Amino acid sequence: MKVLVTDPIADAGLDVLREAGHEVVTNYEAEGQDLLDAVADANALIVRSGTEVTREVLEAAEDLVIVGRAGIGVDNIDIDAATDEGVIVANAPEGNVRAAAEHTVAMTFATARSIPQAHIRLVEGEWAKGEFLGTELNGKTLGVVGLGRVGQEVAKKLDSLGMDLVAYDPYISEERAEQLGAELAELDDVLDAADVLTIHTPLTPETENMIGEAELAQMEGGYLVNCARGGIVDEEALAAAVEDGILAGAALDVFAEEPLPVDSPLLGVDDVIVTPHLGASTEAAQENVATSTAEQVVAAFNGEPVINALNAPSVDESAFPRIEPYISLAETAGKIAVQLLDSRLETVQVSYEGDIAEEDVDLLTASALKGVFQPLEWQVNAVNAPQIAEERGIEVSETKRRQAEDFQSLVTVTVGDGEREIAVCGTLFAEDDARIVRVDGYRVDAIPGGKMMITRNTDEPGVIGHIGSVMGEFGVNIAGMFNARETDGGEALTVYNVDQEVPDEAREKLEADSRIIETKYISLNGD
């Protein structure tokens, strides 16, 4: 596989890719048409914050499997477009958490004690001891906007220094906040209470310029620290608030435009501290995010779970061996069910019974949907299958039951058109031997694979022989056969494994016989 790397990452990550046998191409200058040309034959793209992965880029990369972001923030990646194209987007959220949190704490101390300003004055020959009166953090209130991984780490560190914690994050539970010793509150209340405000949210349409002139005015006398993403704080309003004495100081490591322009208003204010996006700039952090990103790329190539996938189902590494054999089974059951339905698809239900119901099955459900949609010739994989269902207005449901009749585990995919439903059930024998055990209510024992024909006919002598004769007449070899019936002399269903595609003419001749109710040719390999 070809891996294109367009932003510098640590050599340790590149080594992981090469040791796995993949070609690594670095192009740190690619942009515009050069980037489109470079990504055209890439199977993976690894970036940091410097490369904009737009819809145009993703559409140009027809063979792309995954975009790996060596870091946390993914606002430079169009995740919706990636999902549309069936491309996994994964980041490395853990690798630089400690480094980013430590830099935030350092910046908090720096602004509260005017450390850089005092340093500059001393280097210039001034002993300005009496001009710098700092603020102790002990007993003060820390306001945290965004209580994610970095926010939590900052909260723990500053809580241990005696700060009271109040946080705004609509996506975290009160229970988790209480475990961190933080009180959850609305943003206005956090701004009113905070002596120091630290920001830890991604840049989204909702968070862009969320801290502006009005919000800064609520923090009178306090300090603001932003080591998350530029664009969340109105930089011009912040410079004015510090210059006018509304805020005691501010410290920023990220900016709306990077590198920071020389005419930025932030550079003209003594009590504003700026650093050039150093939050993740430690040797350990760079190596961690590089190797984590590379390992996820390798996992994607191997069809294994991508632990930090942002737009695809993932599964815990320790649980993957237990569900791995069911991925193909769920996909196959979906393919068979939708081809048997052979009408407008309106509903898909995926059911899990027995031991498999105890597992995290999101990846299995996505695989079942992939199987359902593939025969309809949509460009689909486990990444975009749930979105395709939503876009097409197809109702998807998932059920679990801990007991499974006759089987240790059972996966059932049921598709419907609003009037009728077709259910296909599969299981595993000896842990990895996939079998289809029920089709439309009939008990069978069929080996799924390649090409199949499924017939419904009256249960009477000579029918199966007639089917075999017609298949032979059209040059179709029967490799295996699995028969089931409702009652003696009633209707029967037979699954045939065949070596060649069953031509329409053969099926028409079969269905011309009054004993044969229906025939369906099933392809499991896309032909």
Side-chain angles (χ1 to χ4, degrees), residues 33-149:
Q33 187 60 46
D34 289 342
L35 177 58
L36 299 181
D37 293 340
V39 80
D41 62 346
N43 304 110
L45 174 63
I46 294 180
V47 303
R48 293 183 66 191
S49 59
T51 300
E52 292 292 326
V53 186
T54 63
R55 183 175 292 274
E56 184 180 17
V57 170
L58 291 158
E59 290 176 348
E62 295 184 358
D63 299 324
L64 202 62
V65 174
I66 182 172
V67 175
R69 166 64 165 96
I72 297 178
V74 290
D75 45 275
N76 57 316
I77 302 171
D78 189 333
I79 296 179
D80 290 338
T83 303
D84 291 342
E85 298 297 319
V87 175
I88 299 169
V89 177
N91 64 351
E94 301 290 349
N96 57 14
V97 166
R98 184 176 295 106
E102 288 183 0
H103 193 67
T104 301
V105 172
M107 293 286 269
T108 300
F109 276 106
T111 187
R113 299 300 298 267
S114 301
I115 294 172
Q117 296 92 330
H119 167 78
I120 291 171
R121 295 284 291 277
L122 187 56
V123 168
E124 291 175 346
E126 298 183 57
W127 186 266
K129 180 178 179 180
E131 296 185 27
F132 296 104
L133 187 63
T135 298
E136 292 184 15
L137 299 181
N138 180 58
K140 300 298 190 298
T141 298
L142 173 68
V144 181
V145 178
L147 209 51
R149 291 180 176 90

Side-chain angles (χ1 to χ4, degrees), residues 79 99 127 131 180 214 224 290 312 319 354 503 516 527:
I79 296 179
W127 186 266
E131 296 185 27
L180 296 165
L224 182 142
I516 298 176
D527 65 342

Side-chain angles (χ1 to χ4, degrees), residues 361-384:
V361 295
D362 286 351
L363 182 58
L364 299 184
T365 298
S367 298
L369 292 175
K370 174 187 174 184
V372 167
F373 295 141
Q374 271 188 339
L376 306 181
E377 299 183 4
W378 297 340
Q379 294 297 314
V380 62
N381 58 22
V383 176
N384 59 13

